[in-house]
Amino acid sequence: QQQRQAMIAHIREGDFLGKYGMYSISKQDKLHYDCEDIDWGGGGQYIGMPNRIAESLYQLGYVDKGWEILSRCIRWCEGYPYFPQEIFTERLSNPPYEMPLEISGGGGMQAILFGVFGLRPQNDRSLIIQPAYHIDLGEARMRGFVFAGHRYDIELGCEEYRVYRDGLLAVEASYGTPSVFEGSKKA
């Protein structure tokens, strides 16, 4: 417990916390901190690291510390549609010579969009929606999926799901029942 608290005490501004997450090496560690290999060397972070640490802090009961990290990671959405392998901690950018896409980060989003919310775009520009609900999810909402000229919002409830197409309720259905939507014709 004492060692855990001593480690967590270093999760603060100027040590491991920066505007856009956590440094991979403490800013106070002058020997190891660098800005070259930022995901393992100091000036930035491998994007998997801060979210996992935030999750661990939540599980250990350090809710405020978990939020301190997670709220910084949420800012990544201001600059990236998908997350790169690594991000500088003080500025919203990544080295141009590194991997532009962190594959496993995109995989998580794909699991949510195409798994949980059941989005299945088709080659004929139609869209099949068949959410995969789990009781632990509670209620969930996905807004703003644009496909073939239409905007889709999906709400998952305990018993059924609702699909709004272009802002209007289009379907209210039980889980296991797919909803099919025709897309607009190609321009």
Side-chain angles (χ1 to χ4, degrees):
Q1 181 70 17
Q2 185 178 0
Q3 181 181 13
R4 179 187 297 165
Q5 289 175 337
M7 290 173 64
I8 291 171
H10 288 282
I11 301 174
R12 64 177 183 248
E13 280 301 325
D15 199 345
F16 277 97
L17 284 182
K19 184 175 181 180
Y20 293 101
M22 296 184 73
Y23 298 103
S24 56
I25 300 288
S26 170
K27 235 183 150 174
Q28 295 181 21
D29 185 341
K30 303 301 181 200
L31 180 62
H32 299 103
Y33 182 91
D34 72 62
C35 286
E36 291 299 317
D37 187 13
I38 67 168
D39 57 345
W40 301 115
Q45 65 220 301
Y46 161 66
I47 66 146
M49 180 191 72
N51 287 314
R52 292 299 307 269
I53 292 172
E55 178 186 10
S56 295
L57 289 167
Y58 275 108
Q59 290 174 352
L60 292 169
Y62 295 92
V63 174
D64 291 340
K65 283 291 183 188
W67 179 247
E68 271 190 276
I69 297 168
L70 189 58
S71 65
R72 286 164 165 78
C73 298
I74 290 169
R75 295 176 186 157
W76 299 343
C77 296
E78 297 168 11
Y80 297 102
Y82 280 99
F83 300 136
Q85 172 77 14
E86 58 190 11
I87 296 174
F88 282 99
T89 304
E90 286 302 318
R91 64 185 188 273
L92 198 54
S93 66
N94 58 297
Y97 51 84
E98 290 293 331
M99 289 186 266
L101 174 64
E102 205 291 316
I103 296 167
S104 65
M109 292 307 297
Q110 285 181 222
I112 292 168
L113 291 173
F114 304 121
V116 173
F117 287 99
L119 298 169
R120 294 195 318 230
Q122 304 296 301
N123 288 335
D124 67 359
R125 299 177 55 83
S126 65
L127 177 65
I128 299 170
I129 299 176
Q130 187 174 5
Y133 182 79
H134 188 280
I135 188 105
D136 289 347
L137 186 60
E139 293 183 1
R141 205 174 12 236
M142 188 238 22
R143 294 183 178 157
F145 181 77
V146 177
F147 180 73
H150 296 283
R151 175 194 158 120
Y152 297 88
D153 303 315
I154 303 171
E155 295 177 355
L156 306 181
C158 294
E159 302 289 323
E160 59 191 10
Y161 69 95
R162 288 175 294 290
V163 177
Y164 295 83
R165 181 174 167 165
D166 300 324
L168 302 172
L169 180 62
V171 170
E172 196 164 11
S174 301
Y175 294 107
T177 305
S179 299
V180 181
F181 297 92
E182 297 301 321
S184 60
K185 303 293 183 208
K186 286 187 178 182

